[in-house]
Amino acid sequence: ETYENIPGQSKITFLLQAIRNTTAAEEARQMAAVLLRRLLSSAFDEVYPTLPSDVQTAIKSELLMIIQMETQSSMRKKVCDIAAELARNLIDEDGNNQWPEGLKFLFDSVSSQNVGLREAALHIFWNFPGIFGNQQQHYLDVIKRMLVQCMQDQEHPSIRTLSARATAAFILANEHNVALFKHFADLLPGFLQAVNDSCYQNDDSVLKSLVEIADTVPKYLRPHLEATLQLSLKLCGDTSLNNMQRQLALEVIVTLSETAAAMLRKHTNIVAQTIPQMLAMMVDLEEDEDWANADELEDDDFDSNAVAGESALDRMACGLGGKLVLPMIKEHIMQMLQNPDWKYRHAGLMALSAIGEGCHQQMEGILNEIVNFVLLFLQDPHPRVRYAACNAVGQMATDFAPGFQKKFHEKVIAALLQTMEDQGNQRVQAHAAAALINFTEDCPKSLLIPYLDNLVKHLHSIMVLKLQELIQKGTKLVLEQVVTSIASVADTAEEKFVPYYDLFMPSLKHIVENAVQKELRLLRGKTIECISLIGLAVGKEKFMQDASDVMQLLLKTQTDFNDMEDDDPQVCYAKELKEGFVEYTEQVVKLMVPLLKFYFHDGVRVAAAESMPLLLECARVRGPEYLTQMWHFMCDALIKAIGTEPDSDVLSEIMHSFAKCIEVMGDGCLNNEHFEELGGILKAKLEEHFKNQELRQVKRQDEDYDEQVEESLQDEDDNDVYILTKVSDILHSIFSSYKEKVLPWFEQLLPLIVNLICPHRPWPDRQWGLCIFDDVIEHCSPASFKYAEYFLRPMLQYVCDNSPEVRQAAAYGLGVMAQYGGDNYRPFCTEALPLLVRVIQSADSKTKENVNATENCISAVGKIMKFKPDCVNVEEVLPHWLSWLPLHEDKEEAVQTFNYLCDLIESNHPIVLGPNNTNLPKIFSIIAEGEMHEAIKHEDPCAKRLANVVRQVQTSGGLWTECIAQLSPEQQAAIQELLNSA
């Protein structure tokens, strides 16, 4: 506190005095150096420029003087760090170095006879490789000469190490300068030599630099890739090195499999030699007497070779793909599984789990033999092998769902239930339960039902047994997993779980009430989740009796929410209070407000992904006022999260929730700050979308481009398009809530949306760009015409596009233009009609991929006749339009067309009814077909109108008989169904 209160200028003077004072204690001087570097790093602009220029000059020369005088190596490094920090801040915006004496010192020192000064120069350059500023190109050869010379210093290993690290730092600082990579390529052999030498001097700093290069600038390694890989392989396999160094050497190869997969795939010999190295690491396990019955799951020992090898194998399989990896690893795994030493069998099974994701396609073909083989190991004599077999089954149940469940349900359920009976080994029991959870989560309900009795019997008997053990010994590991297994089974079985409800509920309530000690928090949390999922599965009738008790228990916990620790697992599970608790709205709000604050405080990820569906459901049932208590902090947090969330799956969930929230809350839910922040974020998302597309095009020109690269680029593209759909969702909810008031705000995004619909853009861009303009027309007309110059021509042109998705978006836009657009749009309705008809009448308009677009065209024609009848010749178009009905794929448009049809019939339109009502049988068949395809829900008012049309004909005997006679038996049944229900 005292230090903080000293003015910044005085701090610099005092700290420099302390550094210079060689009589002071070493720790004091080092601490002063650290504080001065921190001061320059965090508060340079507040402190340094305010100093008189003579003081600034004195500080600069003083630092260089201390470096030259200092005898202690570690102290000299710390002063070099200060000099580097000062140099970093003395490069102006144009790249001019404002400290020429510093540069001169660097050149003089690097060629000095004094080793300490050579080290100092390299240390400064390593710390701040941008020290040459805009003069770098001019000095490039000098920099290169300096580094080469130091790397060849045979007498001083420290100089070789430092120059190698400085080289890496310089390359990393210039990561986009491909020409510089070529210029510095001949430093690589010396750099690799330094990696090797430093490792054997127990220094892994240069090896870490190599990992960074592999991660950020793998292309720099290309000219000497074979040598880089051979070295990494040699170091990884050398058991005289420590584990950390061996794992770092493996990390070089694994990182390249992720950042430069196509480049590495050309070196299959290295990949083939790396796989046995990883497997050998996975065998490096220790015997542990207490393993089988440990009640606390220790976090995996992440420094261990076994964990590192498994993670490396998983990443490499994903990076390089199963086509290359599976044939190389298959034989190794088969041999390991037949080894008498348990560690090899364990490693073989864990390897099988690890490669499932990356080798998915290739393993699917041989899954049958793999599963039969793995199930045998659930009966292995060694408990840790049985554990690894559970792991493999659980992993495959996730990786290959739901095909795995469909093919192997009988074998797998029986084997896992048997393994769960392994009373002497609770780690194995718990892991068998965990595998069962993975299996049931993705298991189709119809497959699980036949096993329900047996499953429930086993789970119940184990739960009773483990509850007794909890009371007697305090052990809980298996119970935690069994409770989750019960939840998972109930979740899948749904109403079929009702008969077993009373078997489980008393015990589960007992746990919630009594498991209140800190070490039982996870068990209690999982039990809350289990009760909620069972409640959801069996429905309100059955659950209501207990819902109240459980709610009271939870509210009791709730009062202590503020005392809960950040990592308390109960918080995560309390989200499971789904619709069963909507009845208790006030209590739910009481429960949710602090719970959500807790979530949002922790970042919005969990909240949006887990709680939002529940909140939106409650708001749907109870109205928007349900959310008002929480809206202010929810809205702020959601917008922030949209701007910062790195995981695209979580991001899309958050964006989806945000859009839904706006729809529920309606006009006025966003204030000016919200709009400003959101506008900036959406603009950035769209700009990033275009930038990513450009980057992918660049990657397609790369010399290592191959079909597997294209696959991963396609995945990236799909991800980007998915985020684009969410941007469209958010804009849709804003337009539908705020109408034309929001158009001035929208103008900042307008150029980007216009860019989406340019002819050269890929079809998903054009589709979603049109969807956004569709919303502008639908919700902001007639004001929307102001922007017609940007979207009208493309919209008319895209009705006939090759992509059905683009045609559909364009046709929908033309329909809402007729429906909501003002008089300005009239001439365009006339122009649109023949284009729409051309699409409808094309030969393949009704095929599966085209039908949705075609139905939107038919609906648009109907809307033009209905809302802008003077723009077209209705008498001429109507017979055609009738012949195209009914619509049954696009339910929303089906309702629109049937409503228009009812308007025409109810007004006795002569063309629709035909002379002497001769068209009525045709109309009946249209209505019957619509009913057969469930085009209209019975609760929709439109269904009532259609039923009334039928009833009117029913009263006129002969006509009714004639109409019915011309229908097929299925059509007659459909008409009857409509009359009964609507």
Side-chain angles (χ1 to χ4, degrees), residues 790-804:
Y790 300 113
F791 61 74
L792 254 179
R793 281 290 134 222
M795 200 170 268
L796 289 160
Q797 179 191 335
Y798 288 147
V799 170
C800 303
D801 194 79
N802 285 333
S803 153

Side-chain angles (χ1 to χ4, degrees), residues 30 33-34 150 167 226 396 412 513 718 850 881:
Q30 293 207 9
V34 169
C150 293
T167 302
E226 180 71 26
M396 289 190 289
V412 171
E513 192 163 2
D718 293 346
N850 290 329
W881 184 75

Side-chain angles (χ1 to χ4, degrees), residues 792-857:
L792 254 179
R793 281 290 134 222
M795 200 170 268
L796 289 160
Q797 179 191 335
Y798 288 147
V799 170
C800 303
D801 194 79
N802 285 333
S803 153
E805 292 82 357
V806 174
R807 291 201 299 278
Q808 180 172 351
Y812 181 83
L814 295 175
V816 289
M817 180 173 89
Q819 188 170 356
Y820 300 102
D823 288 346
N824 288 329
Y825 285 107
R826 299 182 101 77
F828 302 102
C829 292
T830 310
E831 192 179 337
L833 188 77
L835 301 171
L836 292 164
V837 172
R838 191 197 318 167
V839 176
I840 299 164
Q841 292 185 331
S842 68
D844 57 352
S845 67
K846 287 294 175 80
T847 59
K848 191 174 176 212
E849 62 273 18
N850 290 329
V851 66
N852 273 51
T854 304
E855 291 200 343
N856 272 267
C857 290

Side-chain angles (χ1 to χ4, degrees), residues 199-332:
C199 276
Y200 290 102
Q201 284 145 11
N202 209 13
D203 171 2
D204 50 24
S205 62
V206 193
L207 181 52
K208 281 180 177 158
S209 297
L210 179 57
V211 172
E212 281 184 67
I213 288 176
D215 188 33
T216 311
V217 284
K219 288 271 184 278
Y220 175 61
L221 300 173
R222 168 194 287 292
H224 297 277
L225 186 60
E226 180 71 26
T228 305
L229 295 169
Q230 290 290 5
L231 171 66
S232 304
L233 199 55
K234 181 195 94 161
L235 296 173
C236 176
D238 189 339
T239 49
S240 72
L241 293 172
N242 67 42
N243 284 355
M244 190 62 199
Q245 290 173 318
R246 293 178 59 203
Q247 290 171 23
L248 277 169
L250 176 59
E251 182 62 32
V252 174
I253 303 176
V254 174
T255 299
L256 285 169
S257 76
E258 295 171 323
T259 58
M263 205 159 86
L264 190 58
R265 275 195 284 267
K266 294 175 181 166
H267 294 262
T268 46
N269 60 325
I270 299 282
V271 179
Q273 293 171 65
T274 308
I275 284 172
Q277 292 281 13
M278 295 192 265
L279 294 171
M281 282 185 161
M282 289 173 69
V283 176
D284 188 356
L285 294 160
E286 293 184 9
E287 298 281 356
D288 176 0
E289 296 289 305
D290 308 323
W291 181 87
N293 284 304
D295 195 50
E296 285 298 330
L297 281 188
E298 297 298 321
D299 281 338
D300 275 341
D301 178 5
F302 286 108
D303 301 337
S304 79
N305 278 340
V307 172
E310 185 184 339
S311 155
L313 188 54
D314 179 4
R315 288 165 56 201
M316 198 177 224
C318 289
L320 296 178
K323 215 186 218 167
L324 182 65
V325 173
L326 189 64
M328 287 183 178
I329 199 170
K330 200 176 150 195
E331 282 314 305
H332 291 291

Side-chain angles (χ1 to χ4, degrees), residues 672-814:
N672 289 345
E673 286 85 51
H674 290 148
F675 268 119
E676 192 176 332
E677 193 178 352
L678 186 62
I681 289 170
L682 294 181
K683 189 163 180 261
K685 292 275 174 239
L686 289 164
E687 284 165 351
E688 187 185 358
H689 176 82
F690 294 127
K691 184 162 169 269
N692 288 350
Q693 277 181 347
E694 281 169 29
L695 289 174
R696 283 194 285 278
Q697 283 312 104
V698 171
K699 285 181 189 168
R700 289 186 171 103
Q701 309 309 315
D702 192 284
E703 55 194 301
D704 292 313
Y705 174 74
D706 61 13
E707 63 188 62
Q708 276 155 304
V709 173
E710 182 52 43
E711 267 177 38
S712 70
L713 293 179
Q714 284 296 334
D715 288 344
E716 285 174 31
D717 195 57
D718 293 346
N719 256 339
D720 272 8
V721 168
Y722 194 53
I723 297 299
L724 180 62
T725 67
K726 299 300 161 198
V727 170
S728 172
D729 286 351
I730 290 175
L731 289 173
H732 167 79
S733 53
I734 288 176
F735 284 130
S736 60
S737 301
Y738 279 82
K739 312 294 187 214
E740 71 279 355
K741 286 190 303 221
V742 85
L743 287 173
W745 169 83
F746 171 66
E747 285 182 6
Q748 63 185 315
L749 304 177
L750 186 62
L752 294 158
I753 311 297
V754 171
N755 195 10
L756 284 174
I757 60 171
C758 286
H760 64 279
R761 308 249 32 120
W763 69 257
D765 283 16
R766 292 179 290 129
Q767 174 194 5
W768 292 103
L770 285 171
C771 286
I772 292 166
F773 281 124
D774 292 350
D775 279 324
V776 172
I777 300 171
E778 182 169 353
H779 300 292
C780 310
S781 285
S784 64
F785 194 74
K786 180 181 174 186
Y787 308 105
E789 60 178 300
Y790 300 113
F791 61 74
L792 254 179
R793 281 290 134 222
M795 200 170 268
L796 289 160
Q797 179 191 335
Y798 288 147
V799 170
C800 303
D801 194 79
N802 285 333
S803 153
E805 292 82 357
V806 174
R807 291 201 299 278
Q808 180 172 351
Y812 181 83
L814 295 175

Side-chain angles (χ1 to χ4, degrees), residues 92-236:
D92 68 17
E93 282 177 6
D94 300 325
N96 298 309
N97 185 323
Q98 306 283 325
W99 189 11
E101 304 83 0
L103 274 184
K104 181 176 184 313
F105 171 76
L106 212 59
F107 285 132
D108 292 346
S109 301
V110 84
S111 46
S112 157
Q113 291 304 302
N114 178 334
V115 178
L117 284 180
R118 295 219 296 286
E119 283 182 359
L122 288 166
H123 190 86
I124 291 171
F125 183 58
W126 163 78
N127 193 320
F128 180 39
I131 195 162
F132 292 95
N134 56 20
Q135 295 297 298
Q136 180 174 296
Q137 199 57 37
H138 173 70
Y139 283 118
L140 209 51
D141 287 323
V142 181
I143 296 171
K144 184 176 172 180
R145 244 194 337 271
M146 163 180 106
L147 291 169
V148 169
Q149 190 185 333
C150 293
M151 236 186 259
Q152 289 168 349
D153 186 332
Q154 291 310 313
E155 286 174 54
H156 304 102
S158 65
I159 297 288
R160 292 207 301 279
T161 299
L162 269 170
S163 59
R165 292 179 68 196
T167 302
F170 188 61
I171 295 295
L172 288 162
N174 292 281
E175 59 176 292
H176 300 303
N177 187 342
V178 181
L180 187 139
F181 296 172
K182 292 202 171 105
H183 192 47
F184 275 66
D186 45 0
L187 271 76
L188 250 174
F191 175 77
L192 294 174
Q193 188 58 49
V195 170
N196 184 68
D197 298 348
S198 58
C199 276
Y200 290 102
Q201 284 145 11
N202 209 13
D203 171 2
D204 50 24
S205 62
V206 193
L207 181 52
K208 281 180 177 158
S209 297
L210 179 57
V211 172
E212 281 184 67
I213 288 176
D215 188 33
T216 311
V217 284
K219 288 271 184 278
Y220 175 61
L221 300 173
R222 168 194 287 292
H224 297 277
L225 186 60
E226 180 71 26
T228 305
L229 295 169
Q230 290 290 5
L231 171 66
S232 304
L233 199 55
K234 181 195 94 161
L235 296 173
C236 176

